[in-house]
């Protein structure tokens, strides 16, 4: 679990701002729901035999003896909130949320125990157009961050649950015949979650998988038409993708369209955004059936991909840093700082005294544009020395009673 310090927070805020702008362009509305939910919510939605529920959840009993869990992802909580507040029956909603998620994984680069996601979910729409919309939205977001050249889209369909049942059976039968070539993890999944074996990272397992039955042969017409519909919108919009028949996603609730945006600039943890359709989940969690699709963007990985120069350009460095020496100057400095803030100028007042050299060093470290200097000489002449810190130029003296107008004129231009 990481601390995020002011130095990197600039990039986070830059990414969050671009995210909000992009989501606004598509009419998505923010939803906030709790970080803690009943454990049952996650085991029922994500699935008992998934990595998350089997070994990654932070689960504890509260004082009433209820089993609670720190959310490992957002979709379950979002659906719970939608059902409980009557938002999902016969309605169309486009939601987004962001915040921390918790998984007790082995920590490594790009994989943390508290990490952050921006989640996007659309409810009440069954057609391929909304699947494509989510992908277009994400693609526009990458462009807004100027990282689109670093990401590529993989897409697949995992059919309806009936089609999956048939396929799973065929896959299991095949894998049984080659059980001795599988690794321990895959053998464990053989009876419970054989689809996950398809995306195993083990080379030996991948050799076995290469000869496995193909999902494609088990897809019904509707699933096929739906998938083709998604691809055709992407083609028209000029979004490039590659179809990856091994892409299955690790959570149980997905059906039909699944996709991932990946990069090869982050080493092993290259998936930055992952999503898919989950048409059965609302009903499964006790609501009236409603089609749905969602995606989650991993903030830590996204931030790592973003050029921090861009972020720093939009960062909020102070415009003015007030340097004052001696009690009288400090009082005047404080007054000027407040008057400037009245005019919406961003001011850091030094506070805490110190030599001219120390104070100027702080002004520079904070990246301020101007230093306003009030020392003995200035106080004697009723002036303020104005020093431009970001480029070479003559410093000048301005009368104290004119300094607020002088500075605010610079920033109102
Ligand atoms: P992975 O295959 O990387 O384990 P996942 O299938 O567990 O991913 P999802 O639950 O789909 O991931 O989460 C969506 C995105 O959230 C991931 O693509 C990734 O960017 C991010 N993410 C997931 N787990 C972590 C983690 N432990 N630390 C940081 N980011 C994470
Ligand atoms: Mg995972």
């Amino acid at each position: 679990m990481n601390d995020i310090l002011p130095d990197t927070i600039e990039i986070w805020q830059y990414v969050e701002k671009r995210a909000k702008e992009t989501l606004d362009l598509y009419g998505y509305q923010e939803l906030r729901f709790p970080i803690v939910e009943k454990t049952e919510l996650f085991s029922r939605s994500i699935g008992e035999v998934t990595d998350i529920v089997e070994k990654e959840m932070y689960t504890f009993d509260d004082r009433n003896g209820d089993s609670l869990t720190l959310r490992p992802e957002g979709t379950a909580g979002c659906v719970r909130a939608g059902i409980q507040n009557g938002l999902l029956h016969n309605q169309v909603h486009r939601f987004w949320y962001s915040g921390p998620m918790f998984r007790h994984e082995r920590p490594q680069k790009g994989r943390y125990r508290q990490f952050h996601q921006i989640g996007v979910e659309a409810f009440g729409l069954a057609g391929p157009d909304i699947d494509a919309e989510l992908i277009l939205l994400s693609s526009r977001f990458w462009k807004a961050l100027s990282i689109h050249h670093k990401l590529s889209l993989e897409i697949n369909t995992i059919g309806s649950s009936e089609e999956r049942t048939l396929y799973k059976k065929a896959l299991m039968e095949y894998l049984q015949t080659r059980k001795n070539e599988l690794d321990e993890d895959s053998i464990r999944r053989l009876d419970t979650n054989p689809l996950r074996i398809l995306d195993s990272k083990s080379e030996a397992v991948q050799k076995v998988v290469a000869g496995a039955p193909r999902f494609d042969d088990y897809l019904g017409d509707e699933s096929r038409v739906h998938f083709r519909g998604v691809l055709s919108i992407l083609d028209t919009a000029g979004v490039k993708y590659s179809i990856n028949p091994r892409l299955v996603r690790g959570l149980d609730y997905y059906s039909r369209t699944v996709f991932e945006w990946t990069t090869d600039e982050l080493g092993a943890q290259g998936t930055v955004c992952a999503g898919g359709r989950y048409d059965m989940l609302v009903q499964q969690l006790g609501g009236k059936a409603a089609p749905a699709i969602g995606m989650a963007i991993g903030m830590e990985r996204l931030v790592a991909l973003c050029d921090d120069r861009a972020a720093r350009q939009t960062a909020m460095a102070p415009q003015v840093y007030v340097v004052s020496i001696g009690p009288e100057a400090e009082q005047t400095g404080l007054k000027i700082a407040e008057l400037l803030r009245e005019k919406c100028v961003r001011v850091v007042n030094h506070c805490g005294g110190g030599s001219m050299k120390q104070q100027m060093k702080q002004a520079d470290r904070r990246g301020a544009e101007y230093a306003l200097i009030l020392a003995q000489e200035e106080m004697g002449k009723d002036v303020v020395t104005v020093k431009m810190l970001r480029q070479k130029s003559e410093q000048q003296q301005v009368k104290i009673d004119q300094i607020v107008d002088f500075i605010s004129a610079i920033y109102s231009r």
Side-chain angles (χ1 to χ4, degrees), residues 121 134 249 254-255 257-259 274-278 292-295:
E121 321 276 354
L134 243 59
R249 311 283 305 112
Y254 287 110
S255 58
T257 317
V258 292
F259 61 92
R277 187 162 268 289
Y278 53 93
I293 179 165
M295 64 182 179

Side-chain angles (χ1 to χ4, degrees), residues 336-356:
I336 292 173
E338 279 301 309
L339 289 169
L340 281 172
R341 291 172 186 137
E342 206 83 44
K343 306 271 182 194
C344 296
V345 178
R346 298 191 302 274
V347 185
V348 171
N349 187 28
H350 177 75
C351 292
S355 70
M356 173 78 78

Side-chain angles (χ1 to χ4, degrees), residues 126-391:
D129 45 0
I130 189 71
D131 305 26
E133 178 176 290
L134 243 59
I135 292 170
L136 295 184
L137 187 160
S138 46
S139 165
R140 188 179 294 281
F141 183 31
W142 314 142
K143 283 196 192 115
L145 295 169
S146 306
I147 54 165
H148 47 292
H149 56 286
K150 301 181 182 177
L151 288 161
S152 48
L153 174 65
E154 292 184 12
I155 189 164
N156 190 24
T157 178
I158 55 169
S160 68
S161 64
E162 295 79 35
E163 290 152 15
R164 255 190 327 283
T165 307
L166 286 178
Y167 176 64
K168 268 190 203 168
K169 190 160 166 279
L171 183 63
M172 253 187 243
E173 279 167 12
Y174 165 80
L175 291 171
Q176 281 293 352
T177 66
R178 306 197 43 183
K179 194 169 173 180
N180 53 347
E181 295 165 67
L182 298 178
D183 62 358
E184 206 181 305
D185 244 10
S186 302
I187 291 174
R188 198 169 45 83
R189 285 175 171 149
L190 200 50
D191 297 318
T192 52
N193 200 354
L195 286 184
R196 272 325 290 273
I197 301 175
L198 293 179
D199 75 348
S200 162
K201 305 244 157 38
S202 143
E203 250 176 63
V205 175
Q206 274 308 326
K207 271 205 192 113
V208 178
V209 163
R214 293 167 52 92
F215 207 139
D216 205 39
D217 299 327
Y218 293 80
L219 283 180
D221 282 347
E222 271 187 62
S223 292
R224 233 177 261 281
V225 169
H226 185 96
F227 192 46
R228 247 186 268 131
V230 179
L231 299 183
S232 112
I233 300 173
L234 296 182
D235 290 335
T236 309
V239 175
K240 292 206 186 70
Y241 55 84
S242 62
I243 298 174
N244 174 1
R246 310 262 168 259
L247 184 66
V248 291
R249 311 283 305 112
L251 294 73
D252 270 3
Y253 51 61
Y254 287 110
S255 58
R256 292 214 167 136
T257 317
V258 292
F259 61 92
E260 288 190 357
W261 287 95
T262 59
T263 178
D264 40 45
E265 297 203 3
L266 295 179
Q269 310 314 329
T271 305
V272 172
C273 169
R277 187 162 268 289
Y278 53 93
D279 291 335
M280 308 309 288
L281 184 60
V282 176
Q283 190 172 26
Q284 197 183 312
L285 289 179
K288 294 241 169 58
I293 179 165
M295 64 182 179
I297 299 165
M299 277 295 284
E300 280 76 4
R301 296 181 196 177
L302 187 55
V303 163
L305 268 193
C306 286
D307 183 353
D308 60 353
R309 253 178 325 165
R312 283 179 212 293
Q313 268 167 19
T314 56
M316 286 285 165
Q319 292 162 321
V320 167
Y321 195 99
V322 177
V323 169
S324 36
I325 311 284
E328 195 199 341
E330 278 172 16
Q331 263 187 33
T332 310
L334 186 103
K335 216 186 292 171
I336 292 173
E338 279 301 309
L339 289 169
L340 281 172
R341 291 172 186 137
E342 206 83 44
K343 306 271 182 194
C344 296
V345 178
R346 298 191 302 274
V347 185
V348 171
N349 187 28
H350 177 75
C351 292
S355 70
M356 173 78 78
K357 199 170 153 209
Q358 286 165 339
Q359 295 195 32
M360 289 302 286
K361 204 167 147 192
Q362 279 301 322
D364 189 53
R365 190 171 288 168
R366 285 301 308 265
E369 283 163 3
Y370 289 92
L372 300 190
I373 302 163
L374 290 146
Q376 215 176 5
E377 185 203 328
E378 282 84 1
M379 294 313 288
K381 298 201 297 193
D382 266 344
V383 296
V384 182
T385 298
V386 180
K387 192 173 159 69
M388 177 66 186
L389 298 175
R390 300 290 132 218
Q391 64 199 45

Side-chain angles (χ1 to χ4, degrees), residues 51-52 56 103 105 111 196 250-251 269 301:
D51 282 355
I52 295 180
E56 294 174 359
R103 296 185 195 176
E105 305 198 63
R111 204 180 278 293
R196 272 325 290 273
L251 294 73
Q269 310 314 329
R301 296 181 196 177

